[in-house]
Amino acid sequence: MSENDAHLLIVDDDERIRGLLQKFLVRNGFLVSAARDAAHARRLLIGLDFDMIVLDVMMPGEDGVSLTRGIRETSTVPILLLTARSETEDRIAGLEAGADDYLAKPFEPKELLLRINAILRRMPEPASQEAAPKLMTLGAVRYDIERGEMWRGDEMVRLTATEAQLMRIFSAKPGEALSRSRLVEELGRDKGQAQERAVDVQITRLRRKLESDPKQPRYLQTVRGAGYMLAPD
């Protein structure tokens, strides 16, 4: 997916910031809708499909983390959180709620643009209908490598953009331990301990969807001193 066909939803209670972001992103080729708060965003989400949501955390009423958690109950649309909070715990809370990435205020508009494009590039590309399926079995779960889809029985397991990218990375190297720093690099993130901690959070979320007992993972294993490894049947 490219910015030329992406529809973004900007959610921010600050009218000035909301307007500036909308104009900047429109100039850079996006179709952009805007919401003034979580309730307004929920109404827009009922009637419209978006390719990505850029969401402020600190809003009156329902905050961005709560809205993220609510969206994740029914949707895997990528979410980028904007937060004035610099504490790692607050950013981790957003990732645990289901956000794909975060950007601390104040930020340069160009950095926002780079992060949006990076997330959109991680979205699965539509698979050719003629492609033969390549399935990986992980207990009760089947993972279609070509389509980037995970199934449990007849039910598709919803994966966020980041979770889908992690599955593509792991399925390309089954049985091989991948370090957190390598996963950060493969995900296109900035290097650093904060991003490695964010990877841990994403792994925890992915295990909840993949494992029968996430606390004792069988298929997405931790390899002491080496990183994480996907071990299919």
Side-chain angles (χ1 to χ4, degrees), residues 133-145 148-157 159 167 209-210 219 232-233:
K134 296 182 180 179
L135 298 177
M136 182 175 287
T137 303
L138 304 139
V141 169
R142 304 187 316 280
Y143 178 66
D144 188 324
I145 298 173
E149 295 175 349
M150 184 180 292
W151 295 82
R152 185 181 296 274
D154 294 330
E155 181 179 353
M156 181 184 289
V157 179
L159 297 176
M167 282 301 300
K209 300 179 179 181
L210 183 63
Y219 298 104
D233 292 328

Side-chain angles (χ1 to χ4, degrees), residues 196-214:
E196 290 186 11
R197 174 72 181 103
V199 165
D200 292 338
V201 174
Q202 302 286 359
I203 293 290
T204 298
R205 287 172 42 198
L206 185 54
R207 279 174 171 163
R208 291 174 187 156
K209 300 179 179 181
L210 183 63
E211 305 281 356
S212 58
D213 183 359

Side-chain angles (χ1 to χ4, degrees), residues 15-30:
E15 184 177 359
R16 184 184 68 85
I17 293 177
R18 193 168 66 242
L20 288 173
L21 288 179
Q22 188 167 16
K23 290 178 181 178
F24 172 74
L25 293 170
V26 166
R27 286 200 305 270
N28 282 276
F30 294 98

Side-chain angles (χ1 to χ4, degrees), residues 38-172:
H40 187 193
R42 286 181 181 277
R43 290 195 296 273
L44 291 176
L45 287 164
I46 291 174
L48 294 171
D49 290 326
F50 295 96
D51 297 299
M52 185 173 172
I53 301 173
V54 179
L55 174 59
D56 187 31
V57 170
M58 299 297 291
M59 296 186 295
E62 184 180 12
D63 66 21
V65 173
S66 174
L67 178 57
T68 296
R69 192 175 294 111
I71 292 171
R72 281 290 170 260
E73 292 178 359
T74 59
S75 173
T76 60
V77 60
I79 298 174
L80 172 64
L81 292 180
L82 304 178
T83 174
R85 298 176 176 178
S86 59
E87 292 82 358
T88 301
E89 291 78 8
D90 294 314
R91 299 183 183 187
I92 294 300
L95 293 171
E96 288 178 333
D100 292 274
D101 203 354
Y102 56 80
L103 183 59
K105 294 181 177 180
F107 56 83
E108 291 293 329
K110 186 175 181 180
E111 182 178 5
L112 173 65
L113 183 63
L114 290 172
R115 287 184 182 253
I116 288 173
N117 285 331
I119 291 174
L120 290 175
R121 283 195 299 270
R122 296 201 297 268
M123 290 299 292
E125 292 292 336
S128 170
Q129 294 295 323
E130 297 179 358
K134 296 182 180 179
L135 298 177
M136 182 175 287
T137 303
L138 304 139
V141 169
R142 304 187 316 280
Y143 178 66
D144 188 324
I145 298 173
E146 291 289 337
R147 296 178 179 273
E149 295 175 349
M150 184 180 292
W151 295 82
R152 185 181 296 274
D154 294 330
E155 181 179 353
M156 181 184 289
V157 179
R158 292 178 177 272
L159 297 176
T160 67
T162 303
E163 291 165 353
Q165 177 69 352
L166 281 172
M167 282 301 300
R168 285 198 297 272
I169 294 168
F170 282 121
S171 63

